[in-house]
Amino acid sequence: MSRRINLWANIDWITVMVYLLMIIIGWVSIYSAVYNDDHQSIFDTSQRYGKQLIWMIAALLVGAAVLMTDNKFFFFFAYPFYTFTIFLLIAVLFLGTEVNASQSWFNFAGIQIQPAEFAKLATALALAQYLSTTKRKIHDVRNLLTAGVIIFLPVLFILLQPDVGSSLVFFAFILVLYREGLSGYVLFLMILFGVLSVLALLMNEINMLALLVGTSFVSYFAVSGKFKVAFKAILIFFFCVIIVLLFFRLFSPDTVLDVQLIIGATGGSLILLLLALLYRRNNAAMLAGLLIAAILYTYSVDYVFDNVLMPHQKSRINIVLGFDDDPLGQSYNINQSKIAIGSGGLAGKGFLQGTQTKFNFVPEQSTDFIFCTIGEEWGFAGSLMLHALFIFLLFRLIYLAERQRSHFARIYGYSVIAVFFFHIVINIGMTIGVVPVIGIPLPFISYGGSSLWAFTIMLFIFLKLDAGRMGSLR
Amino acid sequence: MKDRYSNRQYIIGAIFLLPVMFFIVKLFFLQVIDPSYKLSASSNVLRNVTQYPSRGLIYDRNGELLVLNQPVYDLMVVPGQLAPFDTAEFAQILEIDKDYIDSEIRKAREYSMFRSSVFLKQISSLTYAVLQEKLYKFPGFYVQPRTLRNYPRDIAAHVLGYVGEVNRRIITEKPDYSQGDYIGITGVENTYEEELRGEKGVNVFLVDVHNRIMGSYQDGRFDAPAVVGNNITLSIDAVIQEYGEKLMQNKIGSIVAIEPATGEIISLVSAPSYHPELLVGRARTRNFSQLAGDTLNPLFNRALMAHYPAGSAFKVINGLIALQEGIVDEYTDYICPGHYTVGRLTVRCRYHSSPKALSGAVQVSCNTYFCHIFRNLLDHPKYGSVTNGFNVWADHVRSFGLGERLDGDFPNELRGNVPLASYYDRFYGENRWRSLQLVSLAIGQGELSVTPIQMANMTAAIANRGYYFTPHILKSIENAEIDKAFREKTMTSIDSVWFEPVIEGMFRAVNGPDGGTARLAEVRGLDICGKTGTAENPHGDDHSVFIGFAPRDNPQIAIAVYAENAGWGSTMAAPIASLIIEKYLTGSVSRKWLEDRILSADFINRVIAVSDEQEN
Ligand SMILES: [Zn+2]
């Protein structure tokens, strides 16, 4: 029995308290978001808030069950569970129910299960299992590749559903690899190219080119601190661009300006690269190379978008980026969302007093746009509190992860942290209009059983591993 | 546990803090600094009023307006904003009863307390004017401007089609439509829905507790203006369309007129028709079921969907095929004893001078001649078998656009029927059929069936001496190009050199000398070429058929007329076509007596005009 007592004593109750606080905030927000005069009781199970309560109780039971489970179980069942989840992801393509043009749900006796939610958990476990086994060095390309396959195999099937939002979440695992020793440059490049992909579609080509060139020189200057060299490089670069433009003016004046500029910029960068290699300035060479890669990548994104994608795929990406032509489409949603949050003011309108979310101006207000209700009814004060709570949770989890003695627990912990972080940033960023609309839920707050369960299980497995950290496993 | 990389926890922490700090700053601006997001009083609410776009206007080929929009108003209700109000006064203004008010508000409550529902659709401008002044007494109600279609000319109902509200099925199939949106259901309204519909917009208004609009929220920062639909110009000539519909009064049938040089449809009449305004607005459902129940089936577009035998008019195609295949030349003649008899089979012909070569045979519509050449074609040894000979024939026929949908810009077109060899194989057994069994095809009867638009298109191909443009109804479109496919020639399989003898026959059929079948169609100076037909109708009196074009050189119009149960082609269809051609080419009609005779003919009520011609 002493082990059992030990367990309860070793659990990080602070995290558990934060968790409880969050799901209650979520529940109350859902109540307020879909409040209905005819169903005033928050326990009314015909309404979403009543249903959410059932999900919450079930989630607590599942969480408790996770805490009772032996630590070894997670370790040994990581791979089988991962395999099973992949199987489910494939099965849902054929047997799932279609919701919003996406084949991503299983319907079991009225209960809807979304395998993609559990794929995050399975991937976290499998990644932790893989990376923690026998001193695998992440610098070994083969190990890195295998880790990449573990992370991106589910993405493949989730994209087929297609559920772009859920599949993007898996990029968060790069952060875990970084913590385990992946080069900082790779992390930087991943972030850079992610941002570029979105910008390439958002911005017009010439601005994009200017931005790329500008950042490259500024960052070169920042890295090397050599103003003269950077200045010379700028001169050489623009000299090349102008030569190319003149050449076109003389021989082929009809060529599209964009094409001229791409050729000019790529040519200029190539010459810089050659010069840098010749004079053995490695910093400069790297930057010139990066510049070329960035230009080509940016334009290939555009090219793929314009020429390779099917119309329906394009329109889906357009919707994701908020380019929907329909004025009542996504940009409308973001406007409504901003009005709701903005109208909250410093202190908010008060519980159940929000008009914007009440009047159904905001879409998906109990799921993806739940933050609107909080922002409108609790104002900036409420937003600040929620952000503080999230940051507290993330930092607390980092603290817990760092005190683990087993690699498995630490890697798993960071996976949980990274997934939470990604969800929080994308979801809130979307509601305040700084991130494209990607429909993923706000952890513990948004309405929905699948996501609540998945987040709860992820968190509680980590808490359980943490509670058992003294009886070290490897 | 410390390891080499444990310092990275701080970098990761920084990565977490960065966006969160950014969000907090952004939220601070959004919620605290920026005054524009704050509402002046908590009781003020925002109201999103959808801006419905006006559908594009529709013009005829001469710029005459065929379809425009009239304003109407939907009264909307937001149950959550309702306050007690004087229901008696409200009911009196709107001419509704209290039960209606109660039941509609109940329905709206069930839908949503806070989202607006339509309370009363399509209030007239007059009622709206009265209501608007008193709207402040009725919080929770507001008015949503809409438009309805309006038809300055009472014509072309089948061509234009009608508009209706989207139903649940359309909303699930086409996600960019939502409850209450209009969509073109038939005709041009349907084909060019994408161009005509425009884009919805939204206005966000501040509304005070007294249901008064206090103005645009934040100077319209969140408004999206509606985009008006594109106007389109049809190739229809309103004058000719109207005249055609008038001539077809009290008749069942169809007229299709095409400009051969472009494939543009000048007129497309299906009789009986209906008044287009019957299918507008609140009365649509009731009128629709009434029209749908009519035994004469006025909703049925006969021009595109009625299957008729081609009739004698089809002989010209058989003549062209025989020339092309070298079965006859223009001088080959056959003696006609007044009938074509082989064994027990007899195809009767009427009396005419004999023998006839191709032009003459077309002129007098000699059955004997066409039975000979059709059988000679199928039985020609160079094909090896009747089946092969038949396939050669059928391929030529299909090259005139028969037996397949023309796929212009009209929905619900039917394909007609050019039989396949396999059909006869099933019927008689493989290779067990002979040309004699198919001989009715020689005179346009048998298994061959066509739609009026296919016949008109076939006539255009003859007028063009061997090619046609896909018949279409769109002439131009605002801000867009018309389908390129409409500008591409489709060649028939007949070389242009073979058309002259056939056209000579069609010319003589109308203009003489000595006894053509369509003399009633003659207009001096217009050089009309034509061919009558009588399509045998197993269900009753034969259908009167005429195809023709004019002038002979550089044709401006090709036309096909079907008048059901009207007997000989020469008595009804030919004069109708002739009057339309004359009106189109000269702008007026010189033969009042003929016009009167056609107008007074009534095949619906069985009062048939006296006819002294007995020709085919
Ligand atoms: Zn004869």
Side-chain angles (χ1 to χ4, degrees):
Chain A
M1 260 346 258
S2 74
R3 241 186 113 233
R4 184 59 47 86
I5 293 162
N6 240 344
L7 165 74
W8 294 114
N10 281 333
I11 287 174
D12 185 52
W13 287 104
I14 296 177
T15 309
V16 174
M17 285 302 147
V18 173
Y19 165 79
L20 289 175
L21 187 57
M22 282 188 161
I23 60 172
I24 289 170
I25 291 175
W27 182 40
V28 170
S29 302
I30 293 164
Y31 176 63
S32 185
V34 295
Y35 175 75
N36 184 331
D37 269 338
D38 299 339
H39 300 270
Q40 294 194 356
S41 165
I42 196 167
F43 301 107
D44 188 331
T45 54
S46 71
Q47 302 297 308
R48 285 195 159 182
Y49 29 88
K51 292 201 178 98
Q52 182 74 0
L53 181 62
I54 297 173
W55 289 121
M56 282 160 59
I57 293 167
L60 287 175
L61 292 176
V62 170
V66 166
L67 291 181
M68 307 290 198
T69 313
D70 195 294
N71 277 8
K72 290 193 184 73
F73 178 85
F74 307 121
F75 187 77
F76 288 119
F77 280 84
Y79 285 159
F81 182 54
Y82 180 80
T83 316
F84 178 65
T85 311
I86 295 287
F87 165 76
L88 281 185
L89 284 175
I90 297 171
V92 81
L93 293 175
F94 300 102
L95 306 171
T97 323
E98 196 169 309
V99 177
N100 291 335
S102 166
Q103 184 96 1
S104 51
W105 297 85
F106 275 124
N107 215 330
F108 292 121
I111 299 174
Q112 293 186 321
I113 305 286
Q114 201 177 8
E117 291 293 347
F118 295 97
K120 295 165 202 167
L121 168 62
T123 308
L125 285 171
L127 188 67
Q129 159 76 310
Y130 178 75
L131 290 179
S132 62
T133 320
T134 61
K135 302 203 167 135
R136 283 209 170 99
K137 290 257 163 53
I138 203 145
H139 303 285
D140 186 331
V141 177
R142 265 181 312 172
N143 292 338
L144 195 57
L145 276 180
T146 314
V149 169
I150 291 175
I151 295 172
F152 290 109
L153 192 63
V155 174
L156 190 71
F157 297 112
I158 296 173
L159 271 178
L160 285 176
Q161 293 176 356
D163 181 352
V164 181
S166 294
S167 60
L168 287 176
V169 175
F170 288 80
F171 281 88
F173 288 109
I174 307 279
L175 213 56
V176 181
L177 297 183
Y178 171 70
R179 169 60 186 85
E180 293 307 310
L182 182 73
S183 162
Y185 286 112
V186 177
L187 180 68
F188 171 73
L189 279 181
M190 291 300 283
I191 295 174
L192 178 73
F193 280 75
V195 172
L196 276 183
S197 308
V198 175
L199 284 183
L201 295 172
L202 282 175
M203 289 171 72
N204 99 18
E205 284 86 346
I206 296 176
N207 291 345
M208 188 71 211
L209 206 57
L211 181 80
L212 283 176
V213 172
T215 18
S216 299
F217 287 117
V218 169
S219 46
Y220 175 68
F221 177 62
V223 171
S224 69
K226 290 174 184 154
F227 175 74
K228 271 189 183 169
V229 179
F231 186 68
K232 274 186 203 161
I234 291 175
L235 282 185
I236 294 170
F237 180 81
F238 279 102
F239 183 70
C240 293
V241 172
I242 289 167
I243 295 279
V244 169
L245 289 182
L246 280 177
F247 181 83
F248 272 108
R249 180 57 50 88
L250 284 176
F251 297 106
S252 173
D254 296 334
T255 312
V256 186
L257 185 65
D258 283 351
V259 175
Q260 299 185 17
L261 284 174
I262 298 170
I263 294 176
T266 319
S269 316
L270 276 172
I271 287 177
L272 278 186
L273 181 64
L274 280 177
L275 287 175
L277 289 174
L278 213 63
Y279 290 96
R280 293 171 195 267
R281 293 192 192 277
N282 285 338
N283 280 341
M286 263 184 58
L287 266 154
L290 189 60
L291 182 58
I292 296 170
I295 291 171
L296 294 180
Y297 178 72
T298 305
Y299 283 89
S300 69
V301 168
D302 248 13
Y303 179 83
V304 166
F305 183 79
D306 288 338
N307 300 308
V308 179
L309 294 184
M310 296 280 144
H312 67 273
Q313 291 170 322
K314 272 193 216 179
S315 87
R316 199 165 283 137
I317 291 175
N318 272 333
I319 287 168
V320 168
L321 294 176
F323 282 164
D324 200 350
D325 280 340
D326 184 2
L328 299 179
Q330 297 293 0
S331 55
Y332 168 85
N333 292 349
I334 294 166
N335 279 341
Q336 292 306 326
S337 166
K338 282 164 83 177
I339 293 177
I341 295 170
S343 67
L346 184 63
K349 297 174 184 170
F351 182 50
L352 294 183
Q353 299 306 308
T355 49
Q356 296 312 300
T357 45
K358 277 310 164 314
F359 281 86
N360 282 334
F361 290 153
V362 177
E364 305 284 344
Q365 44 187 305
S366 62
T367 55
D368 297 346
F369 282 86
I370 190 71
F371 182 68
C372 291
T373 306
I374 297 169
E376 186 182 12
E377 297 193 345
W378 304 107
F380 180 66
S383 310
L384 199 62
M385 286 295 294
L386 191 70
H387 279 77
L389 207 56
F390 275 129
I391 273 294
F392 179 80
L393 176 70
L394 291 173
F395 280 17
R396 181 75 197 170
L397 291 177
I398 291 181
Y399 166 75
L400 295 186
E402 288 295 337
R403 76 180 183 185
Q404 298 309 307
R405 284 160 60 191
S406 90
H407 285 276
F408 179 80
R410 185 180 70 210
I411 296 166
Y412 175 77
Y414 266 103
S415 300
V416 174
I417 296 165
V419 168
F420 283 3
F421 168 71
F422 192 87
H423 271 268
I424 294 164
V425 167
I426 297 295
N427 181 286
I428 295 182
M430 168 181 85
T431 56
I432 60 177
V434 294
V435 168
V437 175
I438 297 164
I440 58 175
L442 190 58
F444 309 122
I445 310 281
S446 284
Y447 170 78
S450 267
S451 66
L452 180 60
W453 278 26
F455 288 130
T456 303
I457 296 171
M458 284 181 87
L459 181 66
F460 277 70
I461 289 177
F462 182 48
L463 289 181
K464 169 66 182 174
L465 291 173
D466 175 61
R469 69 188 180 278
M470 296 309 168
S472 158
L473 216 154
R474 223 179 299 268
Chain B
M1 190 181 82
K2 295 272 176 211
D3 70 355
R4 256 183 81 189
Y5 299 110
S6 67
N7 278 340
R8 288 190 171 183
Q9 62 177 293
Y10 304 110
I11 297 177
I12 291 173
I15 291 176
F16 288 1
L17 268 181
L18 212 66
V20 170
M21 294 311 273
F22 173 70
F23 287 178
I24 288 173
V25 172
K26 173 87 185 173
L27 280 163
F28 186 70
F29 273 94
L30 200 68
Q31 297 188 289
V32 183
I33 303 287
D34 192 339
S36 58
Y37 286 98
K38 280 191 289 295
L39 304 170
S40 48
S42 62
S43 58
N44 277 4
V45 292
L46 296 185
R47 174 180 297 154
N48 293 23
V49 179
T50 307
Q51 299 296 299
Y52 287 97
S54 295
R55 279 180 85 80
L57 305 178
I58 303 179
Y59 296 93
D60 90 334
R61 67 190 290 127
N62 300 315
E64 186 144 349
L65 202 50
L66 295 177
V67 185
L68 50 82
N69 301 303
Q70 69 187 73
V72 289
Y73 304 87
D74 285 356
L75 186 60
M76 311 295 287
V77 61
V78 182
Q81 295 175 19
L82 282 176
F85 62 95
D86 182 351
T87 46
E89 186 185 11
F90 193 63
Q92 186 236 322
I93 298 172
L94 295 170
E95 296 164 350
I96 51 177
D97 53 32
K98 284 181 101 173
D99 288 347
Y100 181 87
I101 299 178
D102 293 342
S103 79
E104 285 306 305
I105 289 180
R106 189 159 10 92
K107 270 191 240 164
R109 270 177 190 281
E110 277 163 18
Y111 168 61
S112 165
M113 283 301 283
F114 303 107
R115 232 186 254 247
S116 48
S117 305
V118 179
F119 176 80
L120 183 61
K121 270 184 199 170
Q122 294 155 14
I123 302 171
S124 70
S125 311
L126 226 64
T127 315
Y128 170 63
V130 180
L131 177 68
Q132 198 191 15
E133 287 176 8
K134 307 204 171 157
L135 206 54
Y136 71 93
K137 294 184 186 173
F138 311 114
F141 288 98
Y142 72 97
V143 164
Q144 165 87 65
R146 301 295 306 259
T147 57
L148 285 182
R149 286 308 219 184
N150 185 280
Y151 304 91
R153 275 172 176 269
D154 184 20
I155 57 167
H158 287 115
V159 171
L160 301 171
Y162 57 89
V163 172
E165 259 181 41
V166 291
N167 56 27
R168 202 171 289 276
R169 189 176 53 79
I170 296 174
I171 295 172
T172 29
E173 278 169 14
K174 303 181 176 174
D176 46 343
Y177 287 85
S178 49
Q179 189 74 42
D181 287 359
Y182 292 146
I183 189 168
I185 296 175
T186 60
V188 166
E189 299 274 20
N190 172 287
T191 317
Y192 293 107
E193 166 69 12
E194 283 309 307
E195 282 74 21
L196 291 170
R197 65 185 286 213
E199 283 172 28
K200 269 188 295 188
V202 65
N203 277 2
V204 186
F205 292 116
L206 266 174
V207 181
D208 74 0
V209 281
H210 303 296
N211 198 28
R212 282 180 299 226
I213 289 180
M214 303 306 288
S216 190
Y217 180 57
Q218 284 190 37
D219 299 325
R221 217 171 112 188
F222 295 101
D223 294 358
V227 180
V228 183
N230 289 334
N231 298 339
I232 65 176
T233 300
L234 302 184
S235 59
I236 292 289
D237 184 319
V239 176
I240 300 303
Q241 178 75 21
E242 186 167 38
Y243 189 55
E245 289 184 13
K246 203 167 120 193
L247 292 176
M248 288 301 283
Q249 71 187 22
N250 297 323
K251 299 169 194 69
I252 303 171
S254 176
I255 302 172
V256 180
I258 294 175
E259 184 175 71
T262 56
E264 288 174 0
I265 295 171
I266 296 163
S267 164
L268 189 124
V269 177
S270 171
S273 185
Y274 59 93
H275 303 294
E277 64 267 29
L278 285 179
L279 298 186
V280 170
R282 268 190 278 180
R284 185 169 70 87
T285 321
R286 183 166 39 86
N287 289 336
F288 185 87
S289 50
Q290 210 159 42
L291 288 171
D294 192 321
T295 51
L296 293 174
N297 212 350
L299 292 173
F300 180 60
N301 190 346
R302 290 174 167 77
L304 307 178
M305 299 178 74
H307 278 167
Y308 295 111
S312 295
F314 185 72
K315 287 173 183 164
V316 293
I317 299 298
N318 279 335
L320 288 168
I321 295 170
L323 287 174
Q324 175 76 29
E325 289 295 316
I327 304 302
V328 292
D329 62 28
E330 58 180 300
Y331 307 108
T332 315
D333 54 10
Y334 291 93
I335 292 167
C336 174
H339 53 86
Y340 176 81
T341 303
V342 177
R344 282 182 298 166
L345 179 126
T346 294
V347 178
R348 282 162 25 98
C349 192
R350 57 191 206 87
Y351 173 76
H352 55 81
S353 64
S354 174
K356 290 287 185 199
L358 182 53
S359 298
V362 170
Q363 178 187 3
V364 301
S365 196
C366 175
N367 287 342
T368 309
Y369 178 92
F370 288 99
C371 289
H372 277 299
I373 64 165
F374 179 75
R375 291 198 59 205
N376 288 350
L377 176 83
L378 263 55
D379 293 336
H380 200 285
K382 72 174 172 179
Y383 305 125
S385 74
V386 176
T387 306
N388 292 346
F390 173 80
N391 286 334
V392 168
W393 173 84
D395 285 345
H396 282 302
V397 173
R398 286 195 196 94
S399 81
F400 281 85
L402 303 179
E404 292 296 339
R405 283 184 198 91
L406 291 165
D407 281 333
D409 47 359
F410 13 79
N412 306 328
E413 185 196 1
L414 292 187
R415 53 189 298 194
N417 183 38
V418 175
L420 297 169
S422 57
Y423 169 82
Y424 297 106
D425 285 344
R426 262 200 314 280
F427 198 80
Y428 297 109
E430 207 162 318
N431 294 321
R432 303 271 308 271
W433 41 283
R434 302 283 166 259
S435 62
L436 187 62
Q437 285 154 314
L438 274 53
V439 79
S440 53
L441 293 173
I443 56 171
Q445 303 292 341
E447 291 73 21
L448 189 71
S449 69
V450 297
T451 62
I453 189 160
Q454 286 177 335
M455 283 300 266
N457 180 56
M458 178 190 99
T459 311
I462 296 168
N464 286 333
R465 277 82 167 163
Y467 62 86
Y468 65 87
F469 296 91
T470 303
H472 55 278
I473 211 122
L474 183 75
K475 191 164 174 64
S476 63
I477 197 160
E478 194 182 38
N479 303 325
E481 285 293 304
I482 85 163
D483 194 342
K484 276 199 195 86
F486 295 153
R487 303 208 191 282
E488 279 164 19
K489 270 184 198 176
T490 304
M491 303 303 295
T492 65
S493 54
I494 308 295
D495 298 333
S496 59
V497 292
W498 303 119
F499 283 85
E500 229 24 72
V502 170
I503 289 172
E504 170 65 20
M506 292 173 75
F507 180 79
R508 281 199 244 150
V510 176
N511 301 287
D514 55 73
T517 49
R519 298 283 306 179
L520 215 46
E522 181 183 6
V523 182
R524 288 210 184 280
L526 293 188
D527 287 358
I528 299 176
C529 304
K531 178 78 194 76
T532 54
T534 304
E536 274 172 23
N537 174 17
H539 312 295
D541 290 337
D542 290 345
H543 304 321
S544 174
V545 187
F546 182 83
I547 63 166
F549 62 89
R552 179 173 177 166
D553 299 315
N554 194 16
Q556 303 295 306
I557 180 169
I559 191 167
V561 178
Y562 270 85
E564 289 186 23
N565 315 120
W568 301 105
S570 51
T571 52
M572 200 42 63
I576 289 174
S578 166
L579 288 168
I580 287 177
I581 291 173
E582 185 183 7
K583 180 118 177 161
Y584 182 67
L585 294 181
T586 69
S588 61
V589 168
S590 58
R591 295 161 296 166
K592 278 279 169 245
W593 61 271
L594 187 63
E595 187 180 55
D596 289 342
R597 206 184 84 179
I598 301 296
L599 289 176
S600 61
D602 184 341
F603 295 99
I604 289 180
N605 304 307
R606 296 268 144 242
V607 186
I608 300 167
V610 185
S611 143
D612 45 13
E613 327 279 323
Q614 284 278 302
E615 302 157 321
N616 178 23

